[in-house]
Amino acid sequence: MAGPKTKNAAAIERGQIKLPEREIEPVRQIGRRVLYGLGILAAVVCVVMADSTGYKDGSDGQMSWLDALYYATVTLSTTGYGDIVPVSPTARLVNVLVITPLRIAFLAILVGTAFQVLTKNYRDQVRRDRWRKTLRGHTVVIGYGTKGANAIRQLQASGTSPEQVVVVDNRQEYIDEANRDGYAAVLGDATRAVVLRQASVHTAARVIVATNRDDTAVLATLTVRQLNPKCLVAVAIREAENEPLLLRSGADAVITSSAAAGRLLGVAAKSPLVSEVFSDLLVHGDGLELVERPVRPEEIGRTPRECPEPVVAVLRSGKALPWQEVATLESGDSLVVVGCRPRNRNGEVTSVIGTP
C-alpha cells in the first residue's frame, strides 16, 4: 500500500511556479522595520499631545512631551503601568480608534519575521497570478541542464528577454538555479499536461525540449503539441534513430547531440582548424555566425552567388535548399548567410538561424 505523497512529490505532480526573488539586504530590512516602528511611536506621541488635557499624569497631573513619549512607549509595548491614563471621552475614543490599531501594527513589526512569511505567501500568489495573465508569446525550456541553459543564452543573445523565458524541470536544484539566473520556473514533470499549463505552454511561441532521456523528450513533445498545435518545437535527443519518431510527434526541429558531437570530433581529428570554424559558428560572439535574413528587393531575380555575403542555404516554402540548387532568388525567400549580425533601421539585430 502506497504511503502518503511528500510535499515535494505533490508539487512536482501538479507543477509549482517559482518566480525569481527580489532580494533585499538583511540590514536594509531591519533598518526599514526600525523606521516604521519609530514612525508609529512618533504618531502616537503627536496624537496624545494633540489632546493632552484628556490625559492624567499620576505624578504631577501635567502632560509634557516627555510624558507623551513615555505613555506611547509603554502603551505600544502593551506594558501599561497605569500611571498615565486617558480620562476624557475624546481621549478614550482616540485610544480605541487610533492608538489600538497603531499598537497592533507596532507589534506586527516587532514580530516581523512571522508576519513577513504570511505577507510573502500572499505577495507571491499575486505575482504568480499577474505573471500568468501577461505571459504571451514566450519561450518554454524543458530541462535546465547544459543543453537547456545554453539554449537560453543563445536566445538572449538574439534579443529574447529573461522575462519571456520559462523553465520547466523536475529537479529542485535546477529550478533554484534558474531562479538565481533570473528566469521564472515550474517544478514538475514536463510530460504531464497540468505541469505544462502552469508554464502557459498554450500561449507560448516556442518550446525547447532539452531533457536527458529520449523517451521523456517524445512524451513531452506529444504533450506540448496537444496543448499548443501552432508553436515551434525544437527537441534535443541523444540517439539519431529516435529522430523520425520525434518528427512524427510534432517536433519542428530535432538536434541529435551525440551524432553532432561525433561528427565534430571526426572533423577535429582530421583538421583541428576546421573544427574551430564549426565551433565559431555554433557559439554566439564576434566571430563567424549563421544569420537568417529576408531577401532584399534588389536581390530578387539574381543568383545566390551575387549576394554580398556568402549564402549557405535558401529558405523557401518551409524548406532549406542548398544555394547551388537555387537558380534565382524569389520574393518571400530567406537567406542563411555567414557573417556579422545585420541590423535594421531601428538598430535591432535580425534573428539567428533557428529563432523566428
Side-chain angles (χ1 to χ4, degrees), residues 153-160 281 283-293 296 309 337-344 347-355:
R153 294 189 187 99
Q154 180 63 38
L155 288 174
Q156 281 193 260
S158 306
T160 301
L281 289 171
V283 179
H284 176 82
D286 298 328
L288 298 175
E289 194 151 6
L290 290 180
V291 180
E292 176 187 343
R293 69 167 178 84
R296 299 173 182 137
E309 310 99 330
V337 301
V338 178
C340 299
R341 294 164 60 81
R343 297 179 179 272
N344 57 26
E348 300 172 343
V349 295
T350 59
S351 60
V352 176
I353 178 90
T355 57

Side-chain angles (χ1 to χ4, degrees), residues 279-335:
S279 299
D280 199 4
L281 289 171
L282 292 174
V283 179
H284 176 82
D286 298 328
L288 298 175
E289 194 151 6
L290 290 180
V291 180
E292 176 187 343
R293 69 167 178 84
V295 65
R296 299 173 182 137
E298 63 271 17
E299 295 172 339
I300 297 176
R302 297 184 179 181
T303 64
R305 192 186 297 272
E306 297 178 83
C307 294
E309 310 99 330
V311 177
V312 177
V314 177
L315 306 183
R316 176 182 296 171
S317 301
K319 296 181 179 180
L321 305 175
W323 67 271
Q324 302 94 329
E325 298 181 5
V326 178
T328 58
L329 298 175
E330 301 177 359
S331 176
D333 287 347
S334 292
L335 305 181

Side-chain angles (χ1 to χ4, degrees), residues 57-75:
D57 184 358
S59 60
D60 57 10
Q62 302 293 326
M63 284 292 294
S64 64
W65 283 97
L66 179 59
D67 295 332
L69 179 60
Y70 167 77
Y71 173 78
T73 303
V74 298
T75 300

Side-chain angles (χ1 to χ4, degrees), residues 5 14 40 60 82 89 102 127 162 212 227 281 314-315 318 321:
K5 295 180 179 178
R14 66 176 181 272
I40 293 176
D60 57 10
L102 290 176
R127 286 182 63 202
N212 291 327
L227 298 175
L281 289 171
V314 177
L315 306 183
L321 305 175

Side-chain angles (χ1 to χ4, degrees), residues 24 46 54 64 109 116 149 165 211 239 241 266 277 298 319 329:
I24 302 177
C46 293
S64 64
I109 292 174
Q116 186 179 14
V165 175
T211 58
E239 303 298 333
E241 62 184 14
V277 175
E298 63 271 17
K319 296 181 179 180
L329 298 175

